[in-house]
Amino acid sequence: MRNFLIAGNWKMNAGPAAAAELLGKLREVKPDIQEEVDVLVCPPFVSLSMAVEKLQGSDIQLGAQNLHFEDNGAYTGEISATMLVESGCTHVIVGHSERRQYFGETDEIVNKKIHQALNYDLVPVICLGESLEQRKSGSHKQVVAGQLKAALEGVDDNTAPDVVIAYEPIWAIGTGETASPEQAQEMHEYLRSELAELYDEEIASHIRILYGGSMKPANAEELLGQPDVDGGLIGGASLKAVDFSEIINIADKLS
Ligand code: PGA
């Protein structure tokens, strides 16, 4: 019942020229996917309009990597939800660990951003994940459940099914180290049970939970093959059209 979502987080890579090249290649190599796989790319802000141009006539959706929680005003350097909608975005990544770690985003800020995204019909892709120390000390479930609850504070039953969760263990991001399929499934299953507590079973069964952290063609099949893994949030491998398209293919095959 849950379509796979294969999402590319380009991070601070690919300005307009490189974005045009990457999306051109992706459209060349991407398989004709079935309706069960949704594909999303999240380029940097400055490449969004180029992406709209290059994605015309394609079923690939467009997202941003961040937004501000206010409508507009004196927030130098920030980008609002309406600007993203006007730029062709349907999704926005919120609370990525790099934003939490390097830009001081707290659970409270993440929550405000999620409300702002939902107010403007942008699907928030909400990132959660524990550090290596937290995993080693055995507090990973508690940490991630705390982030989940804080992120969804005040999000009601009507809008909750629209959100996407991305479990991204920090120790697996960009390190080449991946959570094992068992570790991913254990956390995803746990998060779904937490969602059922926060809402109900029905809503929890609708919410997609993506895995992120060094997902690549070589490990995608076993990760996506887990019952509670509903897709991937892919950094490094989304910058290579062939790899990203191969992951889409694998999701298609498993659908
Ligand atoms: P990675 O990044 O695939 O390069 O590990 C994933 C992410 O941070 O979203």
Side-chain angles (χ1 to χ4, degrees):
M1 109 161 100
R2 297 182 298 269
N3 279 6
F4 278 120
L5 172 61
I6 302 300
N9 173 12
W10 292 7
K11 309 193 181 185
M12 199 170 71
N13 296 291
E21 200 185 324
L22 178 54
L23 291 172
K25 268 196 206 142
L26 183 62
R27 291 195 66 179
E28 257 173 56
V29 297
K30 185 177 87 63
D32 277 333
I33 46 173
Q34 296 174 355
E35 282 170 13
E36 285 83 28
V37 183
D38 298 326
V39 179
L40 171 71
V41 290
C42 302
F45 294 130
V46 294
S47 300
L48 290 173
S49 53
M50 177 59 86
V52 167
E53 195 182 314
K54 291 291 160 190
L55 293 177
Q56 255 174 34
S58 141
D59 48 16
I60 300 175
Q61 296 176 289
L62 189 63
Q65 300 172 19
N66 185 26
L67 83 167
H68 194 268
F69 50 78
E70 293 291 349
D71 285 342
N72 50 49
Y75 299 100
T76 302
E78 292 294 326
I79 302 284
S80 72
T82 41
M83 291 172 190
L84 296 184
V85 172
E86 198 183 326
S87 304
C89 292
T90 51
H91 292 64
V92 59
I93 298 171
V94 181
H96 191 280
S97 59
E98 287 151 13
R99 297 225 46 97
R100 295 179 191 254
Q101 203 176 337
Y102 308 137
F103 302 99
E105 281 195 16
T106 60
D107 280 340
E108 194 191 345
I109 295 173
V110 170
N111 175 255
K112 283 187 181 175
K113 290 185 173 192
I114 290 165
H115 281 283
Q116 186 70 353
L118 290 169
N119 283 342
Y120 287 91
D121 288 332
L122 285 163
V123 175
V125 178
I126 306 167
C127 302
L128 318 168
E130 81 284 1
S131 67
L132 186 60
E133 297 72 50
Q134 290 163 335
R135 163 74 54 175
K136 280 187 175 157
S137 74
S139 62
H140 49 291
K141 282 188 174 172
Q142 201 189 328
V143 167
V144 176
Q147 291 172 341
L148 179 76
K149 277 188 200 131
L152 293 175
E153 175 82 44
V155 174
D156 64 22
D157 288 24
N158 294 326
T159 37
D162 298 335
V163 310
V164 172
I165 305 292
Y167 168 57
E168 300 203 308
I170 296 169
W171 46 272
I173 296 179
T175 57
E177 187 156 338
T178 321
S180 69
E182 295 74 28
Q183 285 172 322
Q185 171 56 25
E186 188 192 20
M187 185 61 94
H188 284 226
E189 194 181 346
Y190 174 66
L191 285 172
R192 205 176 301 287
S193 72
E194 288 293 296
L195 287 168
E197 291 250 315
L198 287 175
Y199 300 100
D200 60 34
E201 297 273 351
E202 167 76 11
I203 292 174
S205 72
H206 274 92
I207 298 178
R208 289 186 284 190
I209 308 177
L210 315 183
Y211 168 80
S214 302
M215 188 185 272
K216 48 185 182 273
N219 58 28
E221 183 157 2
E222 43 179 16
L223 287 162
L224 295 173
Q226 301 303 312
D228 287 292
V229 177
D230 307 314
L233 182 57
I234 299 148
S238 72
L239 296 169
K240 294 179 200 138
V242 172
D243 286 6
F244 193 58
S245 136
E246 181 136 7
I247 298 173
I248 297 167
N249 248 330
I250 291 167
D252 190 28
K253 207 174 71 185
L254 291 169
S255 292

